[in-house]
């Protein structure tokens, strides 16, 4: 359990600081590792293969995750101190630099740095019991506290996400976060918890949540790699899988592997859906 102690020399009534952010850090790290080991996730890196990627593998993701441990702890503590979005953004930029050093320049977790960093900051505020803002969920806190700043922030215009968002008029990760992670709370998390409540394995629950997100998300990674046609194809294949019963159908694993192989042939990689799956896992761990 997290403990709170007043900072020496701080006047009564000041915002208390989270003194132990390690449980939040650990939940974020576990979420990334659980996303990595999930298989089959169409087109994505796992312990089994590298999916649609030639420049990264499971080792890359482990190195990246370990490089981000301190970031999640700092984000949680900053959230408990009432940090601004700009403060969190600077922490994220420093974390991105550490990620790139760990992976020799490969972008493994840029989306997760953004999503999980905000959620970790919200978790820090929640655990410190000092936010002063309505917060029945972490997503609502992100929306209430930083939503306007996120929506107004001008991203790097040369990034794939920005280029795709502008070209195809989709919101991408910033819009998802600014709105309080609606896809997490309305799509991914209910699917994940439903499988667990019916006795499914943790991997089955993650697969079901992933396919639900894939079927409905405007995944900017898919748009970058495959354009509107690639996105439509990916969403359609996910819809068929779910329509046949998802992980509750006989031979679900074989059907999911078929989709995975088809994505690899087309070099499709739904990284945005994977990022939100990790967000689902983190929220489940924190809010359970």
């Amino acid at each position: 359990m997290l403990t709170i102690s007043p900072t020496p020399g701080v006047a009564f009534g000041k915002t208390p600081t989270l003194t132990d952010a390690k449980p939040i850090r650990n939940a974020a790290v576990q979420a990334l590792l659980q996303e990595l080991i999930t298989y089959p996730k169409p087109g994505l890196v796992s312990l089994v293969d590298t999916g649609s990627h030639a420049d990264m593998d499971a080792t890359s993701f482990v190195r990246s995750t370990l490089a981000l441990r301190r970031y999640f702890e700092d984000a949680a503590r900053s959230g408990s101190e009432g940090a601004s979005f700009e403060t969190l953004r600077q922490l994220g930029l420093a974390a991105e630099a550490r990620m790139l050093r760990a992976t020799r320049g490969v972008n493994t977790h840029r989306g997760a740095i953004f999503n999980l960093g905000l959620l970790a900051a919200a978790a820090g505020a929640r655990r410190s019991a000092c936010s002063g803002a309505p917060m029945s969920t972490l997503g609502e806190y992100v929306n209430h506290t930083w939503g306007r700043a996120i929506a107004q922030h001008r991203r790097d215009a040369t990034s794939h996400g920005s280029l795709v968002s502008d070209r195809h008029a989709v919101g991408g990760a910033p819009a998802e976060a600014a709105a309080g992670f609606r896809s997490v709370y309305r799509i991914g998390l209910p699917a994940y918890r439903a499988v667990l409540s019916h006795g499914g394995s943790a991997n089955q629950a993650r697969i079901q949540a992933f396919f639900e997100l894939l079927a409905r998300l405007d995944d900017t990674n898919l748009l970058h790699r495959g354009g509107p046609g690639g996105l439509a194809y990916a969403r359609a294949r996910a819809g068929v899988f779910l329509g046949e019963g998802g992980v509750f159908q006989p031979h679900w694993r074989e059907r999911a592997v078929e989709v995975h192989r088809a994505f690899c042939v087309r070099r499709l990689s739904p990284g945005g859906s994977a990022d939100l799956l990790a967000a689902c896992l983190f929220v489940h761990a924190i809010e359970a």
Side-chain angles (χ1 to χ4, degrees):
M1 180 175 179
L2 295 179
T3 58
I4 308 165
S5 62
T7 303
V10 176
F12 180 79
K14 292 287 187 177
T15 299
T17 300
L18 186 68
T19 59
D20 185 4
K22 289 183 175 62
I24 295 172
R25 175 202 70 187
N26 293 343
V29 168
Q30 284 298 313
L32 292 181
L33 294 178
Q34 288 167 13
E35 186 276 319
L36 172 62
I37 67 174
T38 302
Y39 181 84
K41 304 185 301 286
L44 294 167
V45 173
S46 70
L47 300 183
V48 176
D49 58 40
T50 62
S52 297
H53 298 273
D55 59 345
M56 61 182 78
D57 57 17
T59 301
S60 307
F61 277 79
V62 172
R63 287 175 178 164
S64 177
T65 299
L66 295 178
L68 296 176
R69 289 177 297 177
R70 179 61 182 272
Y71 164 64
F72 295 127
E73 190 171 338
D74 289 343
R77 188 167 292 109
S78 295
S80 77
E81 297 169 348
S84 66
F85 173 68
E86 179 58 25
T87 296
L88 298 177
R89 190 180 77 86
Q90 291 300 324
L91 287 176
L93 290 174
E96 185 175 315
R98 290 197 295 273
M99 172 196 74
L100 293 174
R101 286 196 297 271
T103 62
R104 297 183 177 90
V106 178
N107 170 23
T108 47
H109 282 131
R110 183 172 289 144
I113 288 171
F114 181 76
N115 292 334
L116 289 183
L118 287 168
L119 289 168
R126 175 188 177 117
R127 295 292 182 91
S128 71
C130 66
S131 66
M135 187 193 345
S136 58
T137 69
L138 301 182
E140 287 175 350
Y141 185 80
V142 171
N143 167 257
H144 182 276
T145 308
W146 303 299
R148 181 175 298 180
I150 294 169
Q152 293 175 346
H153 174 63
R154 294 177 64 86
R155 294 184 294 167
D156 177 4
T158 63
S159 71
H160 292 157
S162 294
L163 292 171
V164 168
S165 295
D166 292 343
R167 184 178 303 129
H168 300 287
V170 295
E176 178 73 29
F181 293 96
R182 291 176 181 171
S183 295
V184 169
Y185 286 94
R186 299 180 182 182
I187 302 172
L189 201 55
Y192 177 78
R193 289 173 171 168
V195 173
L196 293 180
S197 69
H198 285 83
S201 69
N203 187 61
Q204 284 178 294
R206 295 192 299 265
I207 291 292
Q208 186 75 7
F210 176 81
F211 270 91
E212 291 281 3
L213 290 164
L214 177 59
R216 298 162 68 179
L217 192 69
D218 288 327
D219 193 311
T220 56
N221 291 66
L222 285 172
L223 283 168
H224 170 66
R225 281 178 167 253
L231 175 64
Y233 173 83
R235 292 176 66 167
R237 289 299 303 261
V240 169
F241 175 81
L242 294 169
E244 293 174 344
V247 299
F248 296 107
Q249 64 179 295
H251 311 297
W252 70 266
R253 185 181 178 89
E254 290 83 353
R255 298 288 290 128
V257 169
E258 290 176 9
V259 181
H260 173 57
R261 290 173 177 165
F263 276 40
C264 292
V265 168
R266 291 165 176 79
R267 311 306 294 173
L268 296 175
S269 176
S273 301
D275 290 337
L276 289 184
L277 172 61
C280 288
L281 299 174
F282 177 79
V283 169
H284 177 75
I286 295 295
E287 294 185 358

